[in-house]
């Protein structure tokens, strides 16, 4: 029992490095290939991709399967497209040309801070229900108390802050992976996000509105 508690404490301490020492955290975990760990990281990406793009519409219970499928597709497109663009761009900026798999893992590991952001949204949804996700802004803002409106804003601001934290981690990961300057890594990551936003997001939004 003591051994398990010690191991659990070490794992927790190691995970916290993603918040206060992302460079060291990535160096320690970049070669992890455990399938379960990769699956959990991808689930985080799936959930976050749907939160970021489709919070404007509440999903009825009978469309849960469609939500899961669209989250899976959204997660896969996001993971592979972003990693591919960053890989190509970073190589043009003087990177070592690491493999696509290494770039995907660098991106997945950068999403650790989003766990906190998603937990905040989960707790917020328990107390605020669908008001938190704006299925009908005019209807719910009229029904909200001032306290609820403030709580909704706080949840989304914190969620956004942890997404920014994940972005910073991603830049650091790419800088370490490709051995390039951080501002070069920033350019590579920023270009990938712009391409995703311009090319992919409108298509996913159209699909979500048609659900």
């Amino acid at each position: 029992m003591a051994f398990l508690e010690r191991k659990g404490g070490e794992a927790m301490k190691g995970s916290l490095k993603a918040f206060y020492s992302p460079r060291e955290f990535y160096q320690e975990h970049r070669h992890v290939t455990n399938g379960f760990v990769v699956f959990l990281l991808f689930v985080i990406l799936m959930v976050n991709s749907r939160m970021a793009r489709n919070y404007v519409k509440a999903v009825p219970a009978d469309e849960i399967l469609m939500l899961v499928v669209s989250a899976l597709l959204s997660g896969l497109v996001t993971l592979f497209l972003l990693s591919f663009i960053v890989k190509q761009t970073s190589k043009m900026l003087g990177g070592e040309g690491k493999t696509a798999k290494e770039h995907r893992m660098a991106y997945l590991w950068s999403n650790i801070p989003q766990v906190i952001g998603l937990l905040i949204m989960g707790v917020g949804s328990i107390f605020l229900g669908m008001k938190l996700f704006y299925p009908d802004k005019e209807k719910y803002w009229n029904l909200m108390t001032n306290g609820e409106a403030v709580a909704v804003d706080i949840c989304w601001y914190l969620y956004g802050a942890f997404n920014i934290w994940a972005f910073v981690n991603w830049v650091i990961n790419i800088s370490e992976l490709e051995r390039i300057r951080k501002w070069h890594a920033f350019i590579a990551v920023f270009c990938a996000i712009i391409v995703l936003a311009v090319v992919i997001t409108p298509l996913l939004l159209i699909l979500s509105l048609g659900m």
Side-chain angles (χ1 to χ4, degrees):
M1 187 67 178
F3 172 78
L4 292 177
E5 290 177 354
R6 185 168 63 254
K7 283 295 184 182
E10 291 174 356
M12 178 61 70
K13 185 177 179 180
S15 298
L16 290 176
K17 286 183 180 179
F19 297 91
Y20 68 83
S21 185
R23 180 173 176 270
E24 184 178 351
F25 175 82
Y26 177 64
Q27 288 176 337
E28 292 178 356
H29 295 82
R30 60 181 292 180
H31 298 299
V32 173
T33 57
N34 183 286
F36 182 68
V37 172
V38 175
F39 172 74
L40 288 179
L41 291 171
F42 182 66
V43 168
I44 295 170
L45 171 61
M46 284 174 53
V47 175
N48 191 67
S49 68
R50 295 301 296 176
M51 289 279 290
R53 298 189 182 105
N54 290 306
Y55 63 85
V56 293
K57 181 182 179 183
V59 179
D62 60 353
E63 294 184 2
I64 293 298
L65 178 59
M66 179 62 73
L67 176 64
V68 173
V69 172
S70 60
L72 175 61
L73 293 176
S74 178
L76 287 171
V77 169
T78 299
L79 175 62
F80 282 86
L81 180 64
L82 289 181
S83 299
F84 174 78
I85 296 172
V86 171
K87 170 179 160 53
Q88 298 303 319
T89 307
S90 59
K91 186 176 182 180
M92 289 190 294
L93 294 172
E96 296 181 355
K98 296 296 184 178
T99 67
K101 181 179 179 180
E102 288 176 302
H103 273 275
R104 289 195 293 271
M105 288 306 302
Y107 177 56
L108 287 174
W109 279 119
S110 72
N111 282 279
I112 292 295
Q114 292 180 350
V115 173
I116 306 299
L118 293 174
L119 287 175
I120 290 172
M121 297 303 287
V123 172
S125 67
I126 292 174
F127 294 99
L128 297 167
M130 294 313 301
K131 295 176 184 178
L132 184 62
F133 300 99
Y134 310 107
D136 187 332
K137 291 184 179 180
E138 185 174 338
K139 174 184 176 181
Y140 278 105
W141 280 111
N142 291 335
L143 294 175
M144 282 185 189
T145 64
N146 289 335
E148 288 175 329
V150 170
V152 167
D153 285 338
I154 290 174
C155 286
W156 280 103
Y157 285 137
L158 289 175
Y159 173 73
F162 282 105
N163 271 269
I164 294 173
W165 204 323
F167 172 83
V168 172
N169 280 9
W170 190 15
V171 171
I172 293 172
N173 290 357
I174 297 303
S175 176
E176 286 296 307
L177 176 65
E178 291 287 357
R179 301 298 180 187
I180 56 177
R181 296 178 179 179
K182 288 184 175 61
W183 70 275
H184 282 162
F186 172 84
I187 292 174
V189 170
F190 185 75
C191 287
I193 292 175
I194 292 299
V195 171
L196 182 71
V198 172
V199 178
I200 301 299
T201 301
L203 297 177
L204 295 175
L205 182 59
I206 291 172
L207 290 174
S208 69
L209 292 176
M211 286 174 56

